[in-house]
Amino acid sequence: MKLLGLLQLAVAIYAIVMIIQSSAETGAKVLWVLLVLIVPLVGLIIWALMGPGSPLKR
């Protein structure tokens, strides 16, 4: 269980860094970071599918 928690934390940190480095507007970045922090698992999945730089948005 601890390993899954650490893995989720590492992925969340990675996602936040990628969001901050993206070319999205500041408001969008704040919303994405809040989504990843408030609902971690669901937020990460949504970010991976729909976030800045997502393959589905190209």
Side-chain angles (χ1 to χ4, degrees):
M1 285 300 203
K2 290 182 182 182
L3 182 60
L4 289 176
L6 287 175
L7 181 63
Q8 184 177 359
L9 177 64
V11 173
I13 291 171
Y14 171 77
I16 291 169
V17 169
M18 296 307 293
I19 291 167
I20 291 171
Q21 292 179 349
S22 75
S23 62
E25 295 179 14
T26 304
K29 288 180 184 183
V30 170
L31 291 175
W32 279 114
V33 169
L34 286 175
L35 181 68
V36 168
L37 290 175
I38 293 173
V39 238
L41 186 59
V42 175
L44 288 169
I45 292 169
I46 294 171
W47 170 77
L49 296 174
M50 309 279 295
S54 166
L56 295 179
K57 289 185 77 176
R58 291 182 195 168

